[in-house]
Amino acid sequence: MSPPHPKFYLLPFSPEYKCTDRFSLHPTGDQAEDENGQVPFWPVLEAILCRPVNSTTGLVDILDTISVILRATSQPAGDYELLIDAIATSFDTAEVFFAKVWPRIVDIALQMPGLFQNGRIPVLSRENYSLPFSRRQIACLVVHQFLRTLSLPPFRDDDGTHDFGIWYSSQQRHPVAVRVYLRALMLYFGDVLCDEKKMDGWVVEYSLHSLPENYDEIFAQDRPLSELKVVVVETYDTLPGSLGVGDGDGQAVVISANRVVGFGQSATQEEVHVGISPEACPIVLFTPPLGDEQVLKVRGAQAMVNIVGKGRDIIVGSMLDPQQGGDAAWKFRTMLFMDALELDLVNDGRLADLDPRNMEREIAKAYTAFSSSLDGTISEIKTGPWGCGAFGGDPEVKMLLLWLASTMVGVNLTVVCDYELQAFARKLEDVGQTLKFTMLGTVSMRKLLMELPQALSRGQTLEWLEKRK
């Protein structure tokens, strides 16, 4: 049994946050050392950030110094080549970054003691399920992820994926994706961080939602099936409308997540949606691994870049303003992080999606996510083929389960497919219409799904349902 997660995440200005003063930067020198030869880190950081920086050489020296003091190595930042390139290509000139952006980074970084109390922030849990931060607070955390001053949260075992150092080196398994994430970060620094007016009146909220205690009672209630809409696009993108932003009615978008949520070096849906949204990146600091009955909701994180395509074939497209509300519409962007079962690990010759226990788990997971906005702010859920990529799920089964869950909550479901899935999209739409007009509601649909023949193979479920009408 794994140990319980800590209740708090320690911030760099805490007196308990210590380092080895390898370069004798602490203002009181040896007098500040404890019995282990360590000193509080914050005065050391203040001394480092006081240095003038007007070139990438100076910036790399700052970042290297911080990393070596805290970790005794600069890895995984390596040669910093992609970071240097991002600075050179994201602004009119690199000088703009050092004259305008870098001083702002330093200023926001050093505001941390005034923005957070007690040198720590709570870790999300059942008891402490919501963390609403001001945009200025989140900007401060993002800046420290950039500077690499933050420690690895105890509940993560993937050292490096809690800050942006994994993006700096030229050695990347998906360099195109990483370049895009760094560009998004630079745009965030230039457009948001450097505009003082954008810091106020904006809340970014992170909340951990658990299956309600009365779920069984809710599950037993019968409801007429809600609307199921299937949309085929030429290719996936991350424009505001695709992210549920600026289209008028409240929308939330499903993120096909890992149990340990966060960003990365590839182009999975989760990595893309978090990587282009710097304000979503701090989730790695205070979100423990998701349980089977837990989901993470993030509200108010602005996306900075439009990524077109998927996997190895992504390109950067033009980012447009939301159709309604301008940049302020991003305040209402809602991301639902749901981890699907890793069915790619099941090799018993059967379609694991059809195991009733697996179906019950996925319905409960989706219900928990969709019911996280029962305040009326969300009326529609948008999803792609959740859990059907690397996790090996069958989209025919998965989308029916999500439809059932959305009906239980009382919201509509929109399934977005690209051209590769247009045949599946047509079948899902046809079967959806048939079920909606022939079934009484959720109870009969659940019974039908639980009684699907276990001999069905991948891609046969909708055909079987179509034939039984």
Side-chain angles (χ1 to χ4, degrees):
M1 184 175 179
S2 58
H5 302 309
K7 293 184 178 180
F8 298 95
Y9 176 73
L10 203 64
L11 294 174
F13 71 92
S14 168
E16 302 170 50
Y17 196 100
K18 297 189 175 185
C19 67
T20 302
D21 191 9
R22 302 175 190 277
F23 306 109
S24 301
L25 296 172
H26 196 283
T28 62
D30 295 346
Q31 298 176 29
E33 288 187 359
D34 61 16
E35 63 275 12
N36 297 314
Q38 293 195 314
V39 301
F41 172 68
W42 193 252
V44 175
L45 179 64
E46 289 178 315
I48 294 171
L49 294 183
C50 283
R51 299 177 185 174
V53 175
N54 52 29
S55 68
T56 52
T57 300
L59 175 62
V60 168
D61 182 61
I62 291 280
L63 297 177
D64 250 348
T65 301
I66 291 171
S67 187
V68 169
I69 284 174
L70 290 174
R71 306 173 187 87
T73 177
S74 62
Q75 295 302 321
D79 56 14
Y80 292 90
E81 184 175 311
L82 292 194
L83 174 60
I84 294 170
D85 183 69
I87 292 171
T89 58
S90 299
F91 304 95
D92 292 337
T93 64
E95 287 73 20
V96 172
F97 174 85
F98 295 106
K100 177 184 176 183
V101 178
W102 174 250
R104 184 63 173 160
I105 288 174
V106 172
D107 177 45
I108 291 291
L110 295 179
Q111 287 183 30
M112 181 175 267
L115 293 174
F116 298 90
Q117 296 181 348
N118 304 320
R120 58 188 188 178
I121 51 180
V123 171
L124 289 169
S125 64
R126 272 187 177 272
E127 296 74 26
N128 192 29
Y129 71 90
S130 177
L131 292 177
F133 292 110
S134 70
R135 203 176 204 191
R136 188 181 303 276
Q137 287 176 302
I138 292 307
C140 183
L141 292 177
V142 171
V143 160
H144 279 275
Q145 288 180 295
F146 170 72
L147 295 173
R148 304 196 63 212
T149 60
L150 301 169
S151 63
L152 178 71
F155 45 77
R156 300 183 74 94
D157 57 8
D158 48 354
D159 195 8
T161 59
H162 64 291
D163 65 37
F164 302 144
I166 57 171
W167 294 338
Y168 296 168
S169 169
S170 60
Q171 302 301 311
Q172 302 287 341
R173 56 179 176 267
H174 197 328
V176 173
V178 171
R179 287 180 186 275
V180 175
Y181 305 150
L182 283 170
R183 177 167 178 76
L185 181 63
M186 293 300 120
L187 291 175
Y188 174 75
F189 286 160
D191 295 347
V192 177
L193 192 71
C194 290
D195 189 339
E196 185 65 29
K197 291 182 290 187
K198 292 183 179 180
M199 290 286 103
D200 299 320
W202 192 305
V203 173
V204 185
E205 182 181 14
Y206 312 82
S207 50
L208 184 69
H209 296 265
S210 302
L211 192 68
E213 293 181 357
N214 64 338
Y215 174 71
D216 290 340
E217 177 184 333
I218 296 169
F219 206 16
Q221 296 173 359
D222 200 18
R223 285 176 173 266
L225 297 177
S226 61
E227 181 181 349
L228 172 64
K229 185 178 180 181
V230 185
V231 176
V232 177
V233 297
E234 183 175 349
T235 187
Y236 297 115
D237 62 53
T238 58
L239 288 169
S242 301
L243 302 181
V245 174
D247 280 350
D249 293 332
Q251 298 176 346
V253 173
V254 170
I255 309 295
S256 190
N258 289 284
R259 286 185 64 246
V260 181
V261 299
F263 48 87
Q265 297 166 282
S266 296
T268 65
Q269 190 209 16
E270 179 182 20
E271 289 172 320
V272 165
H273 282 243
V274 178
I276 64 170
S277 313
E279 290 165 326
C281 291
I283 60 176
V284 300
L285 306 176
F286 43 72
T287 309
L290 299 176
D292 280 342
E293 299 179 346
Q294 291 180 320
V295 300
L296 174 70
K297 181 173 77 171
V298 176
R299 187 169 172 85
Q302 181 173 351
M304 305 305 300
V305 176
N306 174 30
I307 289 184
V308 180
K310 62 184 180 182
R312 289 284 171 185
D313 300 321
I314 63 170
I315 60 172
V316 179
S318 299
M319 190 54 153
L320 304 178
D321 292 330
Q323 290 186 5
Q324 301 178 33
D327 276 353
W330 289 106
K331 295 180 183 180
F332 309 104
R333 177 192 180 192
T334 303
M335 309 164 73
L336 301 176
F337 290 80
M338 300 163 41
D339 60 305
L341 288 169
E342 298 183 37
L343 301 181
D344 58 310
L345 303 177
V346 180
N347 296 303
D348 60 3
R350 298 178 300 167
L351 184 61
D353 297 84
L354 297 179
D355 185 319
R357 293 168 299 179
N358 291 342
M359 287 196 281
E360 294 279 11
R361 188 269 189 191
E362 304 296 62
I363 296 169
K365 174 71 68 169
Y367 177 86
T368 304
F370 301 165
S371 63
S372 64
S373 296
L374 287 177
D375 55 1
T377 57
I378 299 299
S379 60
E380 179 185 353
I381 304 294
K382 280 189 171 181
T383 185
W386 173 70
C388 301
F391 285 0
D394 182 346
E396 298 194 2
V397 178
K398 281 286 197 290
M399 295 306 102
L400 292 173
L401 299 178
L402 295 195
W403 185 24
L404 176 57
S406 68
T407 297
M408 291 167 58
V409 175
V411 296
N412 297 324
L413 181 69
T414 296
V415 179
V416 182
C417 305
D418 64 4
Y419 272 172
E420 292 181 10
L421 290 174
Q422 58 183 324
F424 156 73
R426 285 194 299 268
K427 287 196 295 181
L428 179 63
E429 189 169 36
D430 291 344
V431 170
Q433 291 176 351
T434 299
L435 293 176
K436 189 170 176 61
F437 287 111
T438 60
M439 301 188 71
L440 295 176
T442 53
V443 171
S444 51
M445 182 174 179
R446 178 193 177 195
K447 184 174 184 295
L448 176 64
L449 292 175
M450 295 301 163
E451 294 177 352
L452 285 168
Q454 297 292 301
L456 290 176
S457 299
R458 185 180 182 87
Q460 293 183 341
T461 299
L462 293 178
E463 181 182 357
W464 184 87
L465 290 171
E466 186 69 18
K467 287 180 178 179
R468 73 177 294 279
K469 70 180 181 179

